[in-house]
C-alpha cells in the first residue's frame, strides 16, 4: 500500500482524548503546526499561517500518549497522512488526519524524562509461545530451545545458518537502561551517562 507518511513538528492544541474500543484503545488530539519565517524588515522571527491536524494513535502508543502529553507541549509526530472531505452545515470542508506511528517530545525546545511502560498481561501471553517470535524456528516444538547452526553463529537452521540479524538485547531484569531509569526515579541528582 502506498501511504503518504509525514513528520510534523508543532504543539498540542487540545487535550488528548483516550477511549477504549473493540479493536484497542485510541487517543486523539488536535495538533497545530506553524511555519516560522524570518522577517527581514523587523529583524525577528514571526509565525506564519497555522495548520491543524487531527492525530490519532492506537493501542499502546495511544495509551502512552494519553499519559504523557498535555496541551501546549511541543511534539514531533510521524505517521500516515489522510485527507478527507465532508459536508457540514451545507458547506464542503476538508479535514487532514494523521494516524501516528511514532510520537515524541521536541527536545530542541525542552527536556523530557523517559519511563519504560510496564508490559501488559495480554502482550506477555502472546510472547509466551516461542513460535510467535519472528525469529523462532517454525519446526520447533512449543517450549523447546531455538535450533542454532552447527557453526555456533547466531543464525538458525531455517535461515540456512546465515546471520539472522542483531542478537536480542539483554533480558529486562539485566537491562542497564531499565536499571538506570529506575535508579533515576529514586535519586535527586542528575547523572550524565556517556557511551563510548
Amino acid at each position: 500500500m502506498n501511504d503518504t507518511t509525514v513528520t510534523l513538528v508543532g504543539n498540542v492544541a487540545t487535550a488528548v482524548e483516550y477511549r477504549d474500543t473493540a479493536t484497542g484503545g485510541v487517543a486523539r488530539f488536535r495538533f497545530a503546526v506553524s511555519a516560522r519565517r524570518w522577517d527581514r524588515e523587523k529583524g525577528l522571527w514571526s509565525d506564519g499561517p497555522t495548520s491543524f491536524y487531527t492525530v490519532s494513535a492506537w493501542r499502546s502508543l495511544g495509551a502512552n500518549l494519553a499519559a504523557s502529553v498535555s496541551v501546549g507541549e511541543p511534539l514531533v509526530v510521524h505517521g500516515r497522512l489522510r485527507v478527507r472531505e465532508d459536508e457540514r452545515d451545507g458547506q464542503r470542508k476538508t479535514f487532514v488526519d494523521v494516524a501516528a506511528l511514532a510520537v515524541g517530545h521536541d527536545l530542541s525546545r525542552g527536556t523530557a524524562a523517559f519511563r519504560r511502560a510496564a508490559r501488559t498481561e495480554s502482550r506477555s501471553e502472546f510472547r509466551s509461545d516461542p513460535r510467535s517470535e519472528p525469529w523462532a524456528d517454525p519446526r520447533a516444538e512449543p517450549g523447546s530451545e531455538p535450533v542454532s547452526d552447527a557453526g555456533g553463529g547466531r543464525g538458525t537452521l531455517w535461515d540456512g545458518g546465515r546471520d539472522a540479524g542483531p542478537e536480542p538485547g539483554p533480558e529486562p531484569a539485566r537491562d542497564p537502561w531499565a536499571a538506570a531509569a529506575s535508579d533515576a526515579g529514586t535519586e535527586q541528582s542528575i547523572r550524565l551517562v556517556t557511551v563510548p
Side-chain angles (χ1 to χ4, degrees), residues 139-180:
R139 296 168 293 175
E141 294 296 319
S144 66
E145 292 295 317
V147 180
S148 63
D149 64 333
R154 293 178 301 178
T156 58
L157 208 53
W158 62 268
D159 73 354
R162 293 185 307 271
D163 187 10
E167 292 184 38
E171 295 177 13
R174 297 185 315 208
D175 184 359
W177 296 107

Side-chain angles (χ1 to χ4, degrees), residues 11-23:
N11 293 305
V12 179
T14 62
V16 178
E17 296 176 13
Y18 182 79
R19 289 185 306 208
D20 282 316
T21 66
T23 58

Side-chain angles (χ1 to χ4, degrees), residues 98-112:
V98 176
L101 302 172
V103 177
H105 284 99
D106 183 358
L107 297 180
S108 69
R109 298 197 276 165
T111 62

Side-chain angles (χ1 to χ4, degrees), residues 113-117 172-189 191 193:
F114 178 80
R115 290 181 306 278
R116 191 174 304 272
R174 297 185 315 208
D175 184 359
W177 296 107
S182 66
D183 292 344
T186 59
E187 296 179 8
Q188 295 297 323
S189 64
R191 291 186 302 175
V193 178

Side-chain angles (χ1 to χ4, degrees), residues 3-91:
D3 289 331
T4 303
T5 56
V6 295
T7 301
L8 305 170
V9 178
N11 293 305
V12 179
T14 62
V16 178
E17 296 176 13
Y18 182 79
R19 289 185 306 208
D20 282 316
T21 66
T23 58
V26 62
R28 283 198 175 95
F29 65 96
R30 296 283 287 163
F31 192 58
V33 177
S34 297
R36 299 277 291 163
R37 300 206 183 340
W38 179 255
D39 187 343
R40 289 184 184 181
E41 293 173 7
K42 296 179 183 175
L44 50 94
W45 287 95
S46 62
D47 286 335
T50 301
S51 299
F52 288 91
Y53 301 86
T54 300
V55 177
S56 59
W58 291 87
R59 294 177 262 307
S60 62
L61 177 59
N64 292 339
L65 189 73
S68 305
V69 172
S70 301
V71 174
E73 292 183 348
L75 295 181
V76 178
V77 175
H78 179 76
R80 290 186 298 270
L81 182 70
R82 185 174 141 223
V83 178
R84 59 187 170 86
E85 291 186 5
D86 195 9
E87 190 168 325
R88 292 189 182 174
D89 302 326
Q91 292 185 342

